[in-house]
Amino acid sequence: MDCLITTNRQGGTTRAGGAPGYLTLDLSALARNYERLAAEVAPARAAAVVKADAYGLGADRVAAKLYAHGCRHFFVAQFAEALRLRPLLSADAMFFVLNGLQPGNEDACAREGIVPVINSLEQWQQWASAAQALGRKLPAVLQFDTGMSRLGVPPEERSALASLLEAESGIDVLFIMSHLASADEETSEQNGDQLAEMNRVAAAFPQFPVSFANSGGIILGKAYHGVLARPGIALYGGAPTAGRPNPMEPVVRLDVAVVQTRTVPAGTRVGYSGSHVTAETTRLATIAAGYADGLPRSLSNRGAVYHDGIRLPIVGRVSMDSITIDISALPEGRLKLGSLVEVLGPHQTLEDVARHAGTISYEILTGLGHRFERRYR
Ligand SMILES: *Cc1c(COP(=O)(O)O)cnc(C)c1O
């Protein structure tokens, strides 16, 4: 398929082969982002958060690449994600399940050497029972809620947990952790509040090292790093801090193919419900991606795509499988059947698309569908 694609000066593609679109993932940029974050947190270690198929980019390729660049700690959300990735990496790679275990997964988890994050006393008891039944120690990470009310042992259960820790449980706690709710907002006072709470937890459980920072937390500074940082979005090129220049390298590029072009007179309705009506003679192109491919319907009449650096606004509603764009700004005949337009790339970042769609980069990235052809550089 590669031989059917021509490459332009920016390294992007201008013409499609047979695919409706190309999701191009720059694994070297991913590795450089990892190394940059690892250097930032040194002497602490940097893990990689590869949940949700590495934010939609392909967890097997991402994990293998990061392993080759020294990463040994991989966080997923669900046990099934760890189960799939575990055999792909050497035994010294560790997999942590952020949501902890659903009842019934304990034996498989123990057998595969996957480490659950224990979020509640109930999960602790289940993991302790599994250890007892197997007659051996089982590893775990302990998560504390420091102010997000999402996952982790709440403050009022800390003393009960301390008692459980004193008894012989068969659980080997590797480290304790918590998660920041506002790390991407530098000036949020929630960061300092959570840090103070994390320090209280660390003082109450001084026998364990701490893991705290996500991407944004790394940028907040040393106090947030603990011994193991857990970046996700920044690895994949997303901005770790809102409203600041993004220090990370872009990893993802998305080009989508044109499937039809037309010229319409003034007063022509475009798309479902005719929500756009042309003001003058307009050249339009329809491209082969829609909300089923992860380009949200909220981009209707708002977002844009690019070609040769020229902005081509989205006109009318985003459909399930297609979007119509106004290509009047381009020379006539420039775009034809099979031409590619840039959705994500040098002229439009993830954050740009997210802003137009009224969401965050995470949701755009994890939503990019599976109908694009993936290419790894
Ligand atoms: C998703 C997640 C991360 C990674 O967060 P980013 O903001 O993508 O860096 C880290 N820790 C926990 C507990 C998470 O759920």
Side-chain angles (χ1 to χ4, degrees):
M1 188 71 59
D2 264 354
C3 58
L4 297 176
I5 297 166
T6 56
T7 300
N8 71 13
R9 280 182 306 279
Q10 285 104 19
T13 47
T14 51
R15 263 183 85 65
Y22 297 86
L23 192 62
T24 310
L25 306 158
D26 185 342
L27 293 175
S28 306
L30 169 81
R32 285 191 294 274
N33 284 342
Y34 175 74
E35 281 170 356
R36 182 177 189 138
L37 295 164
E40 186 78 27
V41 301
R45 298 288 302 268
V49 179
V50 294
K51 62 193 180 190
D53 201 22
Y55 291 39
L57 305 191
D60 36 3
R61 300 295 293 264
V62 165
K65 184 73 180 177
L66 295 179
Y67 182 90
H69 286 260
C71 186
R72 293 294 177 270
H73 303 85
F74 298 87
F75 286 85
V76 293
Q78 299 171 0
F79 177 63
E81 296 179 304
L83 209 52
R84 198 172 69 75
L85 292 173
R86 173 65 282 181
L88 305 181
L89 297 187
S90 308
D92 63 342
M94 303 186 77
F95 287 88
F96 305 95
V97 180
L98 288 166
N99 282 357
L101 292 178
Q102 300 295 329
N105 288 334
E106 292 85 358
D107 285 355
C109 189
R111 194 169 55 239
E112 300 296 328
I114 292 163
V115 183
V117 172
I118 303 288
N119 291 307
S120 64
L121 300 184
E122 207 178 359
Q123 282 182 339
W124 173 277
Q125 298 289 14
Q126 277 178 352
W127 197 226
S129 303
Q132 216 155 40
L134 292 167
R136 63 182 172 96
K137 278 216 159 225
L138 294 176
V141 170
L142 261 180
Q143 173 151 234
F144 290 88
D145 177 24
T146 56
M148 194 174 178
S149 311
R150 184 181 73 168
L151 286 170
V153 176
E156 64 274 15
E157 291 178 5
R158 276 177 210 161
S159 58
L161 180 68
S163 314
L164 288 174
L165 280 164
E166 273 163 28
E168 181 41 55
S169 63
I171 298 178
D172 181 16
V173 177
L174 305 181
F175 56 88
I176 60 177
M177 63 170 277
S178 190
H179 188 49
L180 290 156
S182 302
D184 61 325
E185 299 166 45
E186 280 178 305
T187 56
S188 168
E189 63 181 40
Q190 193 174 11
N191 295 322
D193 290 351
Q194 282 197 266
L195 177 59
E197 191 63 13
M198 184 76 245
N199 287 338
R200 277 191 284 277
V201 172
F205 300 92
Q207 65 274 44
F208 305 126
V210 170
S211 170
F212 197 27
N214 64 337
S215 299
I218 292 173
I219 309 295
L220 290 175
K222 282 276 171 234
Y224 291 83
H225 293 174
V227 298
L228 182 68
R230 306 184 309 272
I233 194 77
L235 292 171
Y236 311 118
T241 310
R244 286 258 163 217
N246 184 356
M248 312 316 297
E249 269 189 65
V251 173
V252 184
R253 177 176 175 116
L254 176 60
D255 299 280
V256 174
V258 169
V259 286
Q260 190 171 5
T261 59
R262 76 183 73 240
T263 303
V264 298
T268 304
R269 294 188 181 103
V270 181
Y272 281 117
S273 304
S275 70
H276 178 83
V277 180
T278 55
E280 56 201 346
T281 302
T282 304
R283 276 183 289 117
L284 299 173
T286 302
I287 62 171
Y291 59 76
D293 302 292
L295 301 177
R297 197 162 166 278
S298 53
L299 289 172
S300 299
N301 289 309
R302 299 195 50 164
V305 302
Y306 285 78
H307 187 81
D308 284 346
I310 294 174
R311 186 174 187 278
L312 309 171
I314 292 172
V315 287
R317 295 264 163 86
V318 171
S319 297
M320 185 188 293
D321 315 292
S322 62
I323 293 175
T324 303
I325 55 176
D326 183 339
I327 60 168
S328 305
L330 283 174
E332 202 162 346
R334 177 66 63 86
L335 290 185
K336 28 187 178 299
L337 181 62
S339 300
L340 290 174
V341 298
E342 171 194 332
V343 178
L344 292 169
H347 302 96
Q348 179 156 265
T349 65
L350 265 175
E351 285 74 23
D352 293 332
V353 173
R355 193 177 56 253
H356 289 132
T359 182
I360 55 173
S361 56
Y362 300 68
E363 195 178 16
I364 298 296
L365 206 51
T366 56
L368 293 176
H370 294 279
R371 296 198 289 188
F372 305 121
E373 185 171 311
R374 281 156 185 249
R375 301 184 307 158
Y376 293 89
R377 272 179 207 279

